[in-house]
């Protein structure tokens, strides 16, 4: 086999030597790259110009692989008189339901007036907290009116508000959780139970006052939300009692709690 290969090699060399020099040089010449041909040293074809070759053209955008619906079909659907009538009927029902709910809610809790109870500022909050803790020197308890409507709480310290009761309620729950933690009895379940029980007692107090006013047939301008505001002020004294109990024990707790009870009694 080696003899045959060497012989074939010699014959090929003799055949190549018999060719003209120009033909041999042309066979050894590297072909010149022409336009549209790939680089001979490039491993992969360049597909960036695939759009110019007629394939890989961009497709129209559609959702989830389905063809996008044409505007003509949507216009035809919206132009359907049955669907338009159904939409108008549904809108009217929704408006009537909203009006009915608003009327029933306003009978018990004037939701539209909630903005009045949160119209407070820093000066009012400071004065009201001082009045809750030490109301004994306060003389003028009359609520100020302007054109048969009470002025905003930030202009009158005697006006009821919901900002202090709401913040005091949240703070009381947090302080109660702190007290439970100092006794190694804290758990999220107990914290939720404390919040729900405080809300339940507040609701019972409001219902008891409403029932009392109904039984004795007292005519008053106080609304349910006014009662919630006044009853929510008691959380300020409860916070003070719990904090003093944490700092000074049972003695400090009962002293501060007794003082706050008498103060809220005078205030009410």
């Amino acid at each position: 086999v080696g003899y045959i290969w060497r012989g074939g090699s010699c014959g090929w060399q003799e055949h190549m030597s018999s060719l003209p020099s120009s033909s041999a040089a042309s066979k050894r010449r590297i072909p010149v790259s022409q336009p549209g041909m790939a680089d001979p040293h490039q491993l992969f074809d360049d597909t960036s110009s695939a759009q110019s070759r007629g394939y890989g053209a961009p497709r129209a955008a559609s959702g989830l692989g389905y063809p996008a619906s044409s505007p003509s079909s949507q216009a035809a659907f919206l132009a359907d008189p049955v669907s338009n009538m159904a939409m108008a009927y549904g809108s009217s029902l929704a408006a009537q339901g909203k009006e009915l709910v608003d009327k029933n809610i306003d009978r018990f809790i004037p939701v539209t007036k909630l903005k009045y109870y949160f119209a407070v500022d820093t000066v009012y909050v400071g004065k009201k907290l001082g009045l809750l803790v030490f109301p004994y020197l306060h003389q003028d308890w009359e609520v100020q009116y302007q054109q048969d409507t009470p002025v905003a709480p930030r202009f009158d310290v005697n006006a009821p508000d919901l900002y202090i009761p709401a913040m005091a309620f949240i703070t009381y729950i947090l302080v109660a959780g702190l007290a439970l933690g100092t006794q190694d009895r804290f758990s999220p379940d107990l914290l939720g139970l404390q919040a729900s029980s405080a809300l339940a007692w507040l609701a019972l107090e409001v219902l008891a006052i409403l029932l009392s006013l109904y039984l004795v047939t007292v005519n008053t301008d106080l609304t349910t939300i006014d009662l919630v505001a006044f009853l929510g002020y008691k959380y300020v004294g409860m916070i003070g009692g719990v904090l003093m109990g944490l700092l000074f024990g049972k003695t400090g707790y009962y002293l501060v709690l007794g003082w706050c009870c008498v103060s809220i009694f005078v205030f009410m």
Side-chain angles (χ1 to χ4, degrees), residues 15-132:
H15 175 71
M16 290 297 296
S17 62
S18 63
L19 294 176
S21 60
S22 60
S23 176
S26 63
K27 289 183 178 295
R28 291 193 299 270
R29 187 180 303 161
I30 299 175
V32 180
S33 61
Q34 299 178 1
M37 296 180 62
D39 188 2
H41 299 288
Q42 186 173 354
L43 297 178
F44 302 97
D45 293 336
D46 186 10
T47 59
S48 60
S49 61
Q51 298 179 2
S52 63
R53 299 193 187 102
Y55 61 90
R59 299 179 180 178
S62 60
L64 301 177
Y66 295 97
S69 59
S70 60
S72 60
S73 62
Q74 296 179 358
F77 176 76
L78 293 178
D80 188 3
V82 178
S83 62
N84 290 335
M85 183 172 61
M87 292 174 60
Y89 184 68
S91 300
S92 63
L93 283 180
Q96 292 176 3
K98 182 177 181 300
E99 183 179 0
L100 182 62
V101 171
D102 292 341
K103 287 182 179 179
N104 291 330
I105 290 179
D106 287 339
R107 290 174 58 186
F108 301 98
I109 300 177
V111 180
T112 56
K113 298 181 181 179
L114 282 177
K115 189 180 297 184
Y116 163 81
Y117 293 94
F118 286 93
V120 300
D121 55 7
T122 307
V123 177
Y124 167 81
V125 173
K127 290 182 178 180
K128 197 58 170 282
L129 291 177
L131 185 61
L132 291 172

Side-chain angles (χ1 to χ4, degrees), residues 115-212:
K115 189 180 297 184
Y116 163 81
Y117 293 94
F118 286 93
V120 300
D121 55 7
T122 307
V123 177
Y124 167 81
V125 173
K127 290 182 178 180
K128 197 58 170 282
L129 291 177
L131 185 61
L132 291 172
V133 176
F134 195 83
Y136 308 105
L137 299 181
H138 192 66
Q139 299 296 330
D140 186 12
W141 294 92
E142 186 177 0
V143 178
Q144 300 179 11
Y145 281 81
Q146 183 177 7
Q147 297 180 355
D148 296 336
T149 57
V151 299
R154 63 174 176 267
F155 301 117
D156 184 14
V157 72
N158 296 321
D161 72 284
L162 284 178
Y163 177 79
I164 293 178
M167 295 296 104
F169 176 80
I170 298 174
T171 306
Y172 168 71
I173 300 302
L174 297 177
V175 172
L178 177 62
L180 291 174
T182 57
Q183 301 173 4
D184 295 333
R185 296 191 299 121
F186 175 80
S187 68
D189 296 337
L190 287 178
L191 200 63
L193 182 62
Q194 189 76 19
S196 59
S197 62
L199 285 177
W201 279 109
L202 181 63
L204 286 176
E205 291 174 355
V206 173
L207 292 177
I209 294 177
L210 289 176
L211 181 60
S212 302

